[in-house]
Amino acid sequence: MRLRRGCRSLYGLTMPKERAAKKTRQHEHIQKQGIRFHTEKGQHILKNPLIVNGIVEKAALRSTDVALEVGPGTGNMTVKLLDQCKKVIACELDPRMVAELRKRVQGTPAARKLEIIVGDVLKTDLPFFDVCVANLPFQISSPFVFKLLLHRPFFRCAVLMFQREFAQRLVAKPGDSLYCRLSVNTQLLARVDHLMKVGKNNFRPPPKVECSVVRLEPRNPPPPINFKEWDGLLRIAFNRKNRTLNASFGVSSVQALLEKNYRIHCSCKSIAVPADFNVKEKIASVLSAGGYGERRARSMDVDDFLSVLEAFNSNGFHFA
């Protein structure tokens, strides 16, 4: 019995020392590279090769593809993409990471296939590409998704890493607690699929939240609508998603906006506005005619909102 307790004590002392030594070696390697990751800028490097391989596999790359990678960091995913693509265009904001990436492929055949754009991807005109792969900084997730989906010419698909809750919002369906304007806008423009969950310990340094990988496939052709006007409608409907549309459109500021746009529309079309025009009654009649007055944004899908937009537009109301 004493021997067994001694063995347990021995293992209890040895294992933490081994883990500590391994962690110290990793930190020494990072220090030798001269890289200090800026977590406030979203620099969390994906270090698990199994996850990297899984993301590249889900992108279904072809040998003739041009791949766009956003936030390549030290190049763990970049080198995998270079193995399978004709060309990789990497967009990186941090010059230190750019230098590390160049160093990683220097003197190899892959160096000729790599193009690096140094700068903020939100302020950069995106080049032509077939597939986008990105481990995105969390703070640019929403603007980048819409920059991507409104990009032309169309690309085949995008495989993107997001904060878990943001990814869940992208794929949420009517009735889900996370269903929101982001869900509807994204699903209008693309087919969205949740691919895998990624724990925070797969990154260096680990973020404070769990992550998920999502695949986006743009709808081609896109719905024939004005996206700014569409988003204007959703902003009103989702300002309080649990309200009925009658209540959302009953707000005085919303009615003032719609009346202003209605009068501009009539002026442009040389349509006389009746002297007894009442915007509140007109809006209520549009909603009741389509049976949407008592509906709530939380339970309406893309087709429902398209019908509401069509009803308002056909009656001279616009949101942009």
Side-chain angles (χ1 to χ4, degrees):
M1 293 298 291
R2 289 180 183 175
L3 180 59
R4 288 179 183 174
R5 283 197 295 271
C7 289
R8 281 199 294 270
S9 176
L10 178 62
Y11 284 118
L13 290 172
T14 303
M15 291 302 290
K17 286 182 179 179
E18 289 177 355
R19 287 196 294 268
K22 182 178 180 181
K23 191 171 183 180
T24 301
R25 287 195 297 270
Q26 290 175 345
H27 286 187
E28 288 174 352
H29 179 63
I30 294 171
Q31 289 172 356
K32 286 178 182 178
Q33 289 180 311
I35 298 176
R36 179 179 173 274
F37 299 118
H38 298 312
T39 55
E40 69 278 5
K41 295 181 180 178
Q43 289 183 346
H44 300 280
I45 308 302
L46 185 58
K47 66 180 183 178
N48 187 333
L50 294 178
I51 301 295
V52 172
N53 289 338
I55 291 174
V56 174
E57 180 182 336
K58 297 294 185 182
L61 296 165
R62 303 168 185 168
S63 60
T64 56
D65 280 343
V66 174
L68 173 69
E69 184 183 9
V70 180
T74 56
N76 292 344
M77 188 138 43
T78 315
V79 293
K80 298 292 184 182
L81 295 172
L82 288 166
D83 286 341
Q84 298 190 32
C85 293
K86 180 178 73 173
K87 181 180 181 180
V88 174
I89 303 171
C91 189
E92 174 59 60
L93 180 63
D94 191 338
R96 302 172 308 141
M97 297 296 175
V98 172
E100 187 65 26
L101 186 55
R102 292 190 193 280
K103 187 194 308 181
R104 187 158 185 172
V105 300
Q106 189 175 16
T108 69
R112 291 176 292 128
K113 299 165 63 177
L114 177 64
E115 176 185 337
I116 301 178
I117 298 175
V118 184
D120 185 344
V121 69
L122 296 181
K123 299 176 181 178
T124 302
D125 291 333
L126 297 180
F128 167 82
F129 62 93
D130 298 293
V131 175
C132 177
V133 179
N135 173 20
L136 289 170
F138 297 150
Q139 59 267 36
I140 71 166
S141 295
S142 184
F144 180 74
V145 164
F146 291 107
K147 182 181 179 74
L148 197 61
L149 292 178
L150 296 174
H151 174 67
R152 300 294 181 269
F154 283 98
F155 56 95
R156 191 166 71 249
C157 74
V159 179
L160 309 172
M161 179 88 71
F162 295 116
Q163 181 178 343
R164 178 78 50 79
E165 185 176 316
F166 183 87
Q168 290 172 335
R169 290 181 185 277
L170 290 179
V171 301
K173 300 300 181 186
D176 293 349
S177 61
L178 292 176
Y179 188 65
C180 60
R181 183 166 62 94
L182 173 68
S183 314
V184 185
N185 271 335
T186 307
Q187 292 167 30
L188 171 79
L189 298 173
R191 175 184 171 185
V192 192
D193 295 300
H194 184 280
L195 298 182
M196 68 176 84
K197 297 179 179 179
V198 181
K200 54 189 175 183
N201 291 328
N202 292 291
F203 298 86
R204 187 181 72 232
K208 295 180 180 179
V209 295
E210 304 295 329
C211 299
S212 285
V213 179
V214 169
R215 178 186 174 97
L216 301 175
E217 294 182 19
R219 299 192 188 279
N220 187 7
I225 61 171
N226 181 320
F227 183 75
K228 289 184 178 179
E229 185 165 4
W230 161 268
D231 191 50
L233 166 65
L234 294 189
R235 284 178 185 276
I236 295 170
F238 278 98
N239 186 44
R240 294 286 187 274
K241 69 177 182 179
N242 293 325
R243 281 181 176 179
T244 63
L245 290 192
N246 276 335
S248 294
F249 282 88
V251 176
S252 58
S253 59
V254 172
Q255 292 180 357
L257 171 67
L258 291 181
E259 182 172 6
K260 177 184 175 182
N261 289 349
Y262 178 81
R263 291 183 181 278
I264 292 173
H265 168 77
C266 290
S267 176
C268 293
K269 299 292 185 180
S270 299
I271 301 173
V273 179
D276 61 346
F277 175 75
N278 185 309
V279 67
K280 182 177 180 180
E281 293 177 358
K282 184 72 171 176
I283 291 172
S285 68
V286 171
L287 290 173
S288 62
Y292 288 107
E294 296 304 314
R295 296 287 302 276
R296 302 173 196 271
R298 68 184 183 193
S299 62
M300 296 172 63
D301 61 18
V302 170
D303 291 335
D304 290 330
F305 285 112
L306 285 171
S307 297
V308 172
L309 181 61
E310 171 61 25
F312 273 108
N313 286 172
S314 61
N315 282 275
F317 287 108
H318 295 272
F319 299 88

